[in-house]
Amino acid sequence: MPAMKLIQSVGIGGANKPDDVKAVQTALNSLLSLITPTQKLKVDSRLGSRPENSKTVAAIKLFQSKVVNMVRPDGKIDPNGRTHSEINVTPILIGIALLVQLRCLSCLI
């Protein structure tokens, strides 16, 4: 997955521009295994009139809690902020872990 690019913040109190919301929804969908029991998000570029009640913001908060280890998830992703950085680095770390596992398996053969 290519790095997620954000122009403005997404989530509670964010600018929530459609292209940025779509990028977040797409990125979170690729990381669903890390934020169970989240179901696949509808990639519609919207958070609705009450972002605090949206499934996308719920997924952001769960990602912040489970992956970023935030004690108080704020439900907002700022460009180049902590959550944004984790979303971009996590797929790389997962890929590295899978390669290590494959190498270990090939050593057993």
Side-chain angles (χ1 to χ4, degrees), residues 16-33:
N16 299 321
K17 299 295 182 188
D19 287 344
D20 292 327
V21 172
K22 182 178 181 179
V24 167
Q25 290 169 330
T26 301
L28 289 172
N29 277 340
S30 72
L31 300 169
L32 286 179
S33 64

Side-chain angles (χ1 to χ4, degrees), residues 9-77:
S9 58
V10 172
I12 297 173
N16 299 321
K17 299 295 182 188
D19 287 344
D20 292 327
V21 172
K22 182 178 181 179
V24 167
Q25 290 169 330
T26 301
L28 289 172
N29 277 340
S30 72
L31 300 169
L32 286 179
S33 64
L34 301 175
I35 53 173
T36 57
T38 303
Q39 294 182 3
K40 188 171 183 177
L41 298 170
K42 181 178 179 182
V43 181
D44 60 3
S45 304
R46 301 181 318 169
L47 294 183
S49 59
R50 299 193 59 184
E52 63 274 10
N53 295 331
S54 80
K55 291 179 181 177
T56 300
V57 168
I60 291 169
K61 286 183 172 184
L62 201 53
F63 183 84
Q64 289 174 325
S65 175
K66 288 187 169 191
V67 180
V68 185
N69 296 317
M70 291 175 101
V71 176
R72 291 181 190 86
D74 60 7
K76 183 177 174 186
I77 301 176

